[in-house]
């Protein structure tokens, strides 16, 4: 995610801002910039690249400056370039804005600003519309101008604005993206994240959605959406730097698991038309005819992304009626797949830099087959070389074990399957409506699955599981890809030899390994194969296996037949894999914790496998 730092006081602003941005580097970014309040004018310096690159571009002479804002950008709209880096000027260059979040109606606002009010744009970002709106609405009060500007905005924002009209003032607004005010002595701060503040203050005021802040060296005022002043209590930060970077969680992996409700919502944002509830993938330029005449799809990926592809196959065939073949990229690129017309290759890659996946993409393109990339990194090799890109807006994923990126890959695949299915006339609109409604309910249901009670239950189970060196994950139908991914998660961070099997396959061999106490995690969420999976659970029980079942609320008969059961909130069977992924991620997390392995950086593994 992007990083925000702002300062107004009596010290050197550029040093405070650069140091603050460096404290936010762990969050991942691809460009950085600073706006300083010089005498009577603003000065913006920005760089595609690192904070060190930005620092090397800054003038020594600016060390006298006492007010400024800084930003590290994780690109969503617009490639990582100097022009697209924040801060952004307004036309008159008397206003500068930094912003985290997504302005959903930025195209409409940009058009109005250009055509109705003659504003000219310098970047391809959604953020820049904010700078021009503030200029448009400014009369004699920066806070009023910001309030009027955000009143036109749909989307998420944590924004900070400075103006040469009011040299000592920072004005902030927050909606769906964090913003924290740091309280000093004759100086005050603002940041998107606590680590940027800790060197200066532990006293903070945390903005809530819809709130604004007006900050000068002497005063911090907070206002509600109606402009009424709010007396906010001071929040004392007790975290050290390391725990602050993890949002107070012990590991990045747990932080990223807990971010899943929010990032699932981000990945759906702008892709479900609020007017009619239809899925709209404006960023995909495939023609209706290309989609309607698709004969088959290859999905190609590695590791966790491959497991997302397995689910992608099931939902694309079920909802869009398109035959899908899924392959690991390291196999696909060396076998001789049949390429022909009316085909699409979908590559899935969190990093967008996985060597095998990139090679498979290039092979398909050389054969003249269009490639759609589902990736999390704007400007990555995969995103630049694919014909079409659908971004998962999960934000930077720091832990080697992929969790939130995987979950948003599933969300993206559902959106594609519904979009294709409706375009092809294969998916009835009632069914599409039902699925879209279910997708919109997922963030709330994910919050339920991530309740304290759920975490405690799973933590307790993992104390037992951690004592074993082997484990099984089983499931049928849509539960099978979830089992595959669950086994990989457990394997890669707890080092337990976990294997996943289609539940119906146990009797064809693996059952020989089931003896007293062997842990088996059984996914049993799919009504169509519920009884079959239940009988597989009984097969395991009969040999003494210890089953931990993950099923839907209401399936009480399961509880009588297993050691322990984890209930998911009621959800459409098709969407159940999104919820079921979470307990399997937490099983891996808590088991690794109990076994003392390195959760965020497991042995032998890299976050992005850029070599063959
Ligand atoms: C996931 O937990 C693993 N770290 C690994 O399997 C990963 O999914 C795989 O290397 C693919 O990476 P990508 O999504 O960045 O291409």
């Amino acid at each position: 995610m992007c990083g925000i730092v702002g300062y107004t006081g009596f010290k050197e602003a550029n040093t405070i801002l650069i140091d603050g941005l460096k404290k936010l580097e762990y969050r991942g970014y691809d460009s950085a910039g600073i706006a300083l309040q010089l005498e009577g004018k603003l000065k913006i310096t920005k760089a595609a690249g690192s904070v060190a690159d930005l620092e090397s571009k800054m003038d020594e002479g600016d060390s006298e400056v006492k007010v400024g804002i800084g930003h590290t950008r994780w690109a969503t709209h617009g490639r990582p370039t100097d022009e697209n880096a924040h801060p952004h000027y307004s036309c008159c260059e008397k206003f500068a804005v930094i912003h985290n979040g997504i302005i959903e109606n930025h195209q409409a606002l940009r058009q109005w600003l250009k055509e109705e009010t003659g504003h000219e744009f310098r970047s391809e970002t959604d953020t820049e519309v904010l700078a021009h709106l503030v200029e448009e609405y400014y009369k004699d009060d920066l806070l009023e101008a910001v309030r009027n500007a955000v009143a036109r905005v749909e989307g998420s924002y944590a924004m900070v604005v400075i103006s040469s009209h009011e040299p000592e003032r920072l004005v902030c607004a927050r909606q769906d993206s964090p913003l924290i005010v740091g309280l000093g002595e004759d100086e005050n701060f603002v940041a998107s994240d606590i680590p940027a503040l800790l060197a200066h203050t532990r006293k903070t005021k945390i903005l809530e959605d819809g709130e604004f802040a007006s900050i000068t060296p002497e005063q911090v005022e907070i206002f509600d959406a109606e402009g009424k002043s709010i007396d906010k209590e001071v929040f004392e930060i007790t975290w050290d730097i390391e725990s602050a970077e993890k949002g107070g969680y012990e590991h990045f992996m747990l932080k990223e698991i807990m971010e899943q409700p929010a990032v699932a919502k981000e990945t759906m944002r702008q892709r479900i038309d609020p007017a009619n509830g239809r899925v709209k993938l404006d960023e995909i330029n495939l023609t209706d005819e290309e989609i309607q005449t698709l004969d088959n799809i290859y999905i190609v990926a590695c590791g966790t992304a491959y497991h997302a592809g397995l689910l992608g196959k099931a939902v694309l065939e079920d909802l869009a009626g398109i035959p899908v073949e899924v392959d690991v990229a390291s196999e696909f690129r060396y076998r001789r797949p049949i390429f022909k017309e009316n085909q699409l290759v979908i590559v899935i890659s969190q990093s967008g830099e996985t060597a095998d996946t990139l090679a498979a993409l290039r092979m398909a393109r050389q054969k003249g087959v269009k490639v759609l990339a589902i990736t999390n990194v704007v400007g990555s090799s995969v995103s630049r070389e694919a014909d079409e890109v659908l971004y998962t807006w999960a934000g930077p994923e720091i832990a080697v074990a992929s969790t939130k990126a995987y979950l948003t890959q599933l969300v993206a695949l559902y959106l594609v399957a519904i979009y294709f299915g409706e375009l092809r006339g294969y998916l009835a609109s009632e069914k599409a409506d039902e699925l879209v409604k279910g997708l919109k309910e997922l963030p709330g249901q994910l919050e339920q699955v991530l309740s304290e009670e759920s975490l405690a239950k799973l933590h307790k189970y993992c104390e037992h599981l951690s004592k074993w060196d082997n484990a099984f994950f089983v499931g049928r139908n849509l539960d099978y890809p979830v089992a595959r991914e669950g086994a990989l998660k457990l394997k890669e961070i707890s080092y337990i030899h976990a294997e996943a099997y289609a539940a119906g396959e146990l009797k064809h061999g693996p059952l020989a390994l089931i003896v007293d106490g062997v842990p088996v995690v059984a996914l049993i969420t799919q009504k169509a194969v519920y009884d079959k999976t239940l009988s597989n659970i009984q097969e395991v029980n009969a040999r003494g296996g210890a089953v931990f079942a993950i099923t839907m609320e209401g399936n009480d008969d399961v509880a009588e037949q297993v050691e322990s059961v984890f209930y998911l909130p009621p959800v459409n069977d098709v969407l159940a894999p999104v919820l079921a992924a979470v307990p399997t991620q937490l099983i891996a997390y808590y088991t690794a914790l109990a076994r003392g392995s390195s959760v965020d950086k497991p042995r032998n593994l890299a976050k992005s496998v850029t070599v063959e």
Side-chain angles (χ1 to χ4, degrees), residues 479-511:
D479 284 331
Y480 174 54
V482 178
R484 292 284 301 269
E485 173 55 16
L488 175 64
K489 282 279 100 41
L490 185 63
K491 213 184 291 195
E492 68 175 321
I493 65 170
S494 76
Y495 314 146
I496 288 176
H497 186 183
E499 281 312 315
Y501 281 97
E505 272 297 289
L506 282 171
K507 55 187 170 298
H508 299 289
L511 214 51

Side-chain angles (χ1 to χ4, degrees), residues 302-305 348-354 357 400-402 409 485 488-489 492 606-609:
C302 301
T304 286
I348 307 172
S349 176
Q350 185 287 127
S351 63
E353 300 299 344
T354 299
T357 306
V400 165
S402 183
Q409 288 164 0
E485 173 55 16
L488 175 64
K489 282 279 100 41
E492 68 175 321
K607 182 58 187 170
S608 179
V609 184

Side-chain angles (χ1 to χ4, degrees), residues 59-203:
D59 296 338
E60 290 295 316
D62 295 339
S63 57
E64 295 308 306
V65 176
K66 311 291 186 228
V67 181
I69 53 177
H71 188 263
T72 49
R73 177 173 182 253
W74 169 269
T76 53
H77 291 70
R79 290 157 299 117
T81 61
D82 287 12
E83 296 72 24
N84 289 336
H86 303 196
H88 288 286
Y89 275 127
S90 64
C91 287
C92 64
E93 300 195 354
K94 293 191 179 300
F95 302 89
V97 175
I98 54 179
H99 161 244
N100 284 357
I102 294 177
I103 308 297
E104 292 183 29
N105 60 334
H106 69 97
Q107 294 288 17
L109 290 172
R110 180 182 279 250
Q111 189 172 348
W112 177 77
L113 284 160
K114 283 165 74 172
E115 292 170 9
E116 300 295 315
T117 54
H119 286 259
E120 291 181 11
F121 284 75
R122 299 178 174 88
S123 80
E124 46 189 13
T125 65
D126 56 330
T127 296
E128 192 183 347
V129 299
L130 295 173
H132 297 284
L133 282 173
V134 171
E135 175 183 312
E136 191 57 33
Y137 289 116
Y138 186 80
K139 294 182 177 54
D140 56 11
D141 180 354
L142 189 56
L143 174 63
E144 208 44 41
V146 171
R147 282 168 41 75
N148 290 328
V150 300
R152 298 287 306 276
V153 164
E154 294 161 18
S156 56
Y157 49 82
M159 64 184 279
V160 186
V161 187
I162 57 175
S163 170
S164 50
H165 294 307
E166 303 179 30
E168 288 195 335
R169 199 177 188 193
L170 312 178
V171 171
C172 316
R174 184 240 149 107
Q175 181 64 44
D176 283 342
S177 187
L179 208 51
I180 304 151
V181 178
L183 308 175
E185 298 295 325
D186 299 324
E187 61 181 2
N188 288 300
F189 309 77
V190 64
S192 55
D193 215 340
I194 285 172
L197 299 174
L198 288 181
H200 310 288
T201 179
R202 286 181 176 273
K203 295 185 183 316

